[in-house]
Amino acid sequence: MECYLVGGAVRDELMGYPFVERDWVLVGANQNDLDRMLKDGYQQVGKDFPVFLHPQSKEEYALARTERKTGHGYAGFSVNTENVTLEEDLSRRDLTINAIAKSLEGDIVDPYGGQEDIRNKRLRHVSDAFAEDPLRILRLARFLARYQHLGFRVAPETMSLMQSMVDAGEVEHLVAERVWKETEKALAEKTPASYFQCLRECGALKVIMPELDALFGVPQRAEFHPEIDTGIHSLMVLEQACLLSSESRVRLAALLHDLGKAKTPSDILPRHHGHEQRSLPIIRQFCGRLRIPKAHLRCALHLAEFHTHAHRAYELRGKTIAKLFKQLDAYRNPQALEDFLLGSEADSRGRTGFEMKPYPQKAHLEQAYQVACRINAKDIIAQGYSGSEIGLQLEQQRIKALDQLQKSTGQKP
């Protein structure tokens, strides 16, 4: 039995890129080898093709295998683990940069040109078997989000293959949970916007995220949005959000905040009056279909509905600010306010020529929140109020304090 380090650990080591997980492949293993591994404490998971977890590190040791397509989607495969060579195992992998192995002695096995593609900064499929699994389109797009800042691009022949997969209807068989899993990983990478750009270029975005795809080509007022195109603006907002927050919920909210603009009546374009409310059911539809966590949904709804409030922070009445804090549930969950303000700042900066413009509204609303928090229920009770009067007085006194703040700061600078 021979053991090789494979996949991402080899790829990233060759690139000098940080990595955490290490995966191994076992070649030529017989039943005696597998029995000995179990005796040594390895835990077997999976039945169709066994994977063994190391008793201490929990790293995966998988039998070398080949796959044969038997149906649609990522699950439509039969697996063979008998007499499979290392080269055969590597041939079933998606990209050449992921089809490199390293022996325990440190020798590199690279039968499909992965090292050359690393040097050329190219994401290229190993073989036409790539087309058998539509999930590989999302994985490639995610790798682009991971490495584009290093200069990586998708090989033209691979982009052409992905487009043909979309045309053949393969992407329609992707399971919602897998779409979100890959998307969430992409949102954590260096340049998530390139993930969505790649999906749009091959046509997959229109299939799996039609609400987002519909934004491209929708015009906005040039004096406020020099980039004009709403889809481009959404990706620019995502890019700005990545500079402000590492949280996937903030980044997703930034991407989705203007979905309602795709439904703006054509006779009022390029204005988008009421797009905030139009966005809400579309976001619920989007997140519901992809089974996105509720925390992400709440963050996206908050930003979509109230981002224009943040932009007009200096012009708002104290009553409106108090209501905003209440609608965000900011008193019980201060992080919700912080997420909202980061998304609002990203929206303001996600416009051509506005990328470096200060956003004092964030600090102003943070100050307003502190002013409101200084007035609490204990103080109201100490003033002699009780029962239902407490909540009423709490709200009124907070509004009064916020009105005073607004008068003292004047209009938007």
Side-chain angles (χ1 to χ4, degrees):
M1 179 177 69
E2 297 177 307
C3 182
Y4 294 87
L5 184 66
V6 294
V10 181
R11 175 197 69 226
D12 286 343
E13 184 178 53
L14 290 171
M15 293 173 57
Y17 204 86
F19 64 92
V20 177
E21 296 182 354
R22 298 194 302 174
D23 295 320
W24 305 83
V25 66
L26 304 174
V27 179
N30 57 40
Q31 191 59 50
N32 290 335
D33 296 321
L34 303 183
D35 291 342
R36 186 170 59 253
M37 291 178 67
L38 292 173
K39 185 177 180 180
D40 291 341
Y42 284 79
Q43 179 184 357
Q44 180 176 337
V45 294
K47 184 178 181 180
D48 293 334
F49 77 93
V51 174
F52 298 86
L53 301 181
H54 190 279
Q56 280 79 47
S57 68
K58 302 303 179 184
E59 292 175 350
E60 292 188 358
Y61 290 72
L63 300 184
R65 69 185 192 270
T66 57
E67 297 171 341
R68 182 172 62 87
K69 188 172 178 63
T70 59
H72 291 293
Y74 76 95
F77 292 89
S78 63
V79 177
N80 171 55
T81 59
E82 296 183 9
N83 302 317
V84 178
T85 67
L86 176 62
E87 287 75 14
E88 288 173 330
D89 179 88
L90 294 176
S91 72
R92 68 174 176 79
R93 298 176 185 268
D94 49 6
L95 303 176
T96 59
I97 65 171
N98 296 331
I100 308 172
K102 181 180 179 182
S103 71
L104 296 179
E105 295 74 30
D107 297 323
I108 296 295
V109 181
D110 178 20
Y112 303 106
Q115 293 177 97
E116 180 181 358
D117 283 337
I118 288 175
R119 288 191 294 271
N120 293 329
K121 302 185 184 302
R122 180 170 56 199
L123 300 177
R124 181 171 61 89
H125 61 287
V126 173
S127 72
D128 287 344
F130 181 100
E132 296 178 348
D133 185 358
L135 187 64
R136 289 178 168 178
I137 292 178
L138 303 187
R139 279 175 51 82
L140 182 146
R142 175 164 60 84
F143 283 123
L144 184 63
R146 182 176 174 86
Y147 298 126
Q148 188 186 53
H149 72 288
L150 299 177
F152 275 76
R153 297 293 183 269
V154 181
E157 62 269 32
T158 301
M159 178 58 70
S160 178
L161 179 60
M162 293 194 297
Q163 290 168 343
S164 68
M165 291 169 66
V166 174
D167 293 340
E170 278 291 326
V171 176
E172 297 170 10
H173 297 281
L174 284 170
V175 178
E177 290 88 348
R178 298 304 295 263
V179 173
W180 169 242
K181 184 177 180 181
E182 292 298 321
T183 301
E184 185 177 28
K185 289 179 179 179
L187 287 169
E189 299 292 2
K190 289 279 188 179
T191 59
S194 60
Y195 171 82
F196 300 98
Q197 289 171 325
C198 180
L199 293 182
R200 182 166 184 265
E201 184 176 350
C202 72
L205 190 68
K206 188 173 184 178
V207 178
I208 61 176
M209 301 178 186
E211 302 91 345
L212 182 59
D213 186 75
L215 293 177
F216 291 89
V218 176
Q220 302 170 107
R221 294 174 62 183
E223 64 267 36
F224 299 121
H225 289 277
E227 72 285 352
I228 299 177
D229 190 293
T230 305
I232 293 174
H233 166 62
S234 297
L235 294 183
M236 293 177 69
V237 176
L238 172 59
E239 290 172 347
Q240 290 297 317
C242 291
L243 300 176
L244 298 170
S245 174
S246 61
E247 295 290 344
S248 61
R249 63 179 180 272
V250 176
R251 295 181 174 191
L252 180 68
L255 179 70
L256 304 182
H257 78 288
D258 270 349
L259 287 186
K261 288 184 176 179
K263 297 294 185 179
T264 297
S266 59
D267 60 328
I268 68 170
L269 290 174
R271 299 176 183 272
H272 290 277
H273 179 70
H275 76 277
E276 300 90 347
Q277 289 298 322
R278 284 196 300 275
S279 295
L280 305 184
I282 304 175
I283 291 173
R284 291 190 181 96
Q285 171 183 295
F286 181 96
C287 293
R289 187 182 67 257
L290 297 182
R291 302 182 185 179
I292 294 173
K294 291 182 179 179
H296 290 64
L297 171 61
R298 285 194 296 270
C299 186
L301 291 173
H302 287 163
L303 184 60
E305 186 170 7
F306 301 119
H307 61 275
T308 50
H309 281 45
H311 300 337
R312 298 186 296 108
Y314 290 91
E315 305 164 18
L316 300 179
R317 296 162 54 198
K319 183 177 182 179
T320 304
I321 297 177
K323 183 179 180 181
L324 172 64
F325 293 157
K326 188 173 182 179
Q327 289 171 309
L328 294 175
D329 198 22
Y331 298 116
R332 291 192 303 176
N333 182 14
Q335 186 61 53
L337 174 62
E338 179 66 13
D339 291 347
F340 166 72
L341 293 177
L342 290 171
S344 298
E345 181 174 1
D347 179 41
S348 178
R349 291 183 172 179
R351 299 175 292 163
T352 301
F354 290 79
E355 293 87 349
M356 300 302 295
K357 186 176 180 180
Y359 190 70
Q361 293 94 326
K362 181 176 184 292
H364 180 68
L365 286 174
E366 288 172 337
Q367 181 185 5
Y369 178 68
Q370 294 302 319
V371 167
C373 286
R374 292 191 194 111
I375 302 169
N376 54 60
K378 290 183 178 179
D379 295 333
I380 303 300
I381 294 171
Q383 294 171 21
Y385 294 99
S386 61
S388 61
E389 295 178 323
I390 297 174
L392 180 62
Q393 283 297 317
L394 181 62
E395 182 177 5
Q396 290 180 348
Q397 292 187 30
R398 282 175 170 171
I399 290 173
K400 182 178 179 180
L402 290 170
D403 276 331
Q404 291 174 346
L405 173 67
Q406 291 300 88
K407 289 179 182 179
S408 67
T409 54
Q411 293 297 306
K412 177 181 177 181

